[in-house]
Amino acid sequence: MNDLVRQHTALSESDLEWLHLLVSEWQLLSDLSFADLVLWVPTLDGTRYVSVAQMRPNTGPTSYQDDMIGHLVPRGRRPLLDAALDEGRIVREGDPEWREEVPVRVESIPVRREGRVLGVIARNTNLLTVRTPSRLELTYLQSASDLAQMIAAGTFPFPGEAVDMDSSPRAGDGLIRLDADGIVQYASPNALSAYHRLGLAADLVGQHLGQITAELAPSRGPVDEALVKLASGYAPREAEVEGNGGVIQLRAIPLKPKGTRIGSLVLLRDVTELRRRERELITKDATIREIHHRVKNNLQTVAALLRLQARRMDSDQGREALNEAVRRVGSIAIVHETLSQNLDERVEFDEIADRVIAMVAEISPGKVTCRRNGRFGILDAEVATPLSMVLTEILQNALEHAFAQGEQGTVEVTAVRGEPRADARLLITVQDDGRGLPEGFDPQRAGNLGLQIVRTLVEGELGGTFDMLPGGRRGTKVVLDIPVQPQK
């Protein structure tokens, strides 16, 4: 709609915002009218109309099989549009039109804002299935007529009350019509069922909806008064009411077709099961985060015990082996700590990589510089945990074997994430400028525990490949190529 309005019309940005507000609300008008709606706006030169938005009803058959958005119509071809635009009134004159052997009643509703008519809504009703209307349909049509008059007067939609139609109740979910005193004139079957869920045992018709609602959802203090006013429809508001184990979502729409409130529409939806599932998910999320938090704490306890044991070791070789185990346990603890702070089982691995690099770099403080280039991105937990251990082993191996005691050097970790598609891959390179590989060294057969861990995790758990190569003039280059899920 933005492009069409800016390209073809002279409407300002504030006018465009009003049209957006209208379009966010007009599903209600379409459903209450059992009719298609098309919004026509006059072009910049005033010789044509351009259709910028369209809505089909959920309550009846459509009268337009094709998409009308973007169509241009010359002035004079549709007299009802001209009359509504020029005279600023709802136009209903004329015989039904025939479209593909379907009779269609056409009405035009001017869209007014601050005294100016911005465009015209063409309301098109398919008459093929017309029959004697029920009480519900009569209430729908009367409410639609009131809303149409409010649109023509510029009092609907309500400024500053943008509605999310995906979550807001719709006419088919449940509808209650109130008079000016808040007394129920009509309640649809779905609306009555929703109030029965709250514990109502009687009928709603003839009852004061605000008082009944406050009694079914007891609270204390000023909240009672606010709930009474909301359910009485005095102002456009949304709220949820909970009582007797049920939850309903309410939306009040004051009806002021001639400037004075004659009553209200209350749309409502039974959201009891939805809220129950949401609470279950919140509980499960909290439980999962708590599990990760406890696993992290337990791993840190294990690392502390290993560190304490290492200090009591007389053998340098045994002490170093325990310190390596401390770093391995610590890398897993970092992943679980990150997972304990997330709502899902995915982590931003760049932060984990930086913490692993800092942890491993402590074995040669001030001598070897470690840094990261590129981004790992978001990874699933089942990838992040083994990858953190692999990164720990490779860095630990480089710092221990690539440089002599006190020698200065650099270890650089580079991550390149492939295109976000189903077969995306993550290429990781760890390059050092140390002494290089020994003569005849074969990384696929080397028996040291660290490389065995790397091979097992990369090829077994991650389904990737691992290789160690000479780093050019000097040093060693480790290359990891692993498949990853696309980032969301």
Side-chain angles (χ1 to χ4, degrees), residues 115-334:
R116 297 179 298 113
V117 178
L118 306 182
V120 178
I121 295 175
R123 180 163 55 178
N124 303 268
T125 307
N126 187 325
L127 300 177
L128 197 60
T129 58
V130 169
R131 54 184 173 79
T132 302
S134 65
R135 178 74 188 280
L136 180 145
E137 291 167 333
L138 288 173
T139 303
Y140 273 29
L141 292 172
Q142 180 57 53
S143 302
S145 176
D146 294 335
L147 288 177
Q149 292 182 56
M150 292 170 65
I151 292 173
T155 57
F156 186 83
F158 304 108
E161 293 291 333
V163 175
D164 182 3
M165 290 307 298
D166 291 333
S167 60
S168 184
R170 300 192 179 192
D173 297 324
L175 179 142
I176 297 175
R177 174 96 185 201
L178 308 178
D179 64 13
D181 296 322
I183 305 300
V184 178
Q185 295 179 311
Y186 176 79
S188 71
N190 285 345
L192 190 57
S193 296
Y195 266 82
H196 286 167
R197 189 74 176 263
L198 289 181
L200 178 69
D203 194 1
L204 273 173
V205 176
Q207 304 277 0
H208 189 284
L209 187 66
Q211 295 175 0
I212 286 291
T213 304
E215 291 171 3
L216 294 173
S219 55
R220 295 180 180 178
V223 178
D224 277 333
E225 297 180 8
L227 184 58
V228 170
K229 289 184 178 180
L230 168 76
S232 300
Y234 289 113
R237 293 286 187 273
E238 284 196 41
E240 286 191 3
V241 178
E242 185 169 357
N244 193 41
V247 184
I248 63 173
Q249 185 180 8
L250 295 177
R251 183 191 175 200
I253 303 172
L255 296 176
K256 304 176 181 179
K258 296 181 180 179
T260 303
R261 193 173 72 85
I262 64 169
S264 307
L265 282 182
V266 177
L267 305 179
L268 62 152
R269 175 190 295 164
D270 185 347
V271 293
T272 305
E273 293 304 313
L274 178 62
R275 295 296 176 259
R276 182 183 62 80
R277 292 192 187 101
E278 287 179 351
R279 288 166 184 163
E280 287 179 354
L281 288 174
I282 291 172
T283 301
K284 288 178 180 178
D285 287 340
T287 302
I288 291 171
R289 287 199 298 272
E290 178 62 21
I291 289 172
H292 284 302
H293 182 70
R294 293 190 182 190
V295 169
K296 182 263 296 185
N297 287 345
N298 290 338
L299 289 172
Q300 288 180 338
T301 301
V302 171
L305 292 173
L306 291 173
R307 194 177 295 112
L308 182 63
Q309 186 65 42
R311 290 173 185 161
R312 295 175 175 269
M313 292 288 292
D314 296 328
S315 167
D316 292 339
Q317 186 176 3
R319 187 183 305 111
E320 184 55 36
L322 288 175
N323 285 330
E324 287 181 1
V326 168
R327 287 188 285 272
R328 288 168 185 146
V329 172
S331 67
I332 302 174
I334 291 173

Side-chain angles (χ1 to χ4, degrees), residues 335-349:
V335 176
H336 283 281
E337 181 180 3
T338 306
L339 288 169
S340 69
Q341 300 168 1
N342 291 344
L343 293 176
D344 56 18
E345 290 291 289
R346 310 194 82 199
V347 296
E348 177 63 63
F349 196 79

Side-chain angles (χ1 to χ4, degrees), residues 374-391:
R375 294 191 68 250
F376 289 85
I378 298 174
L379 298 177
D380 292 334
E382 57 264 28
V383 175
T385 302
L387 184 57
S388 67
M389 284 196 65
V390 167
L391 193 58

Side-chain angles (χ1 to χ4, degrees), residues 5 26 31 37 49 62 96 100 182 191 209 232 241 243 245 342 346 368 383 386 414 435 443 453 470:
V5 169
W26 71 343
D31 290 345
L37 306 178
Y49 299 97
T62 182
E100 300 179 359
L209 187 66
S232 300
V241 178
N342 291 344
R346 310 194 82 199
V368 179
V383 175
T414 303
R435 67 186 68 173
I453 292 174

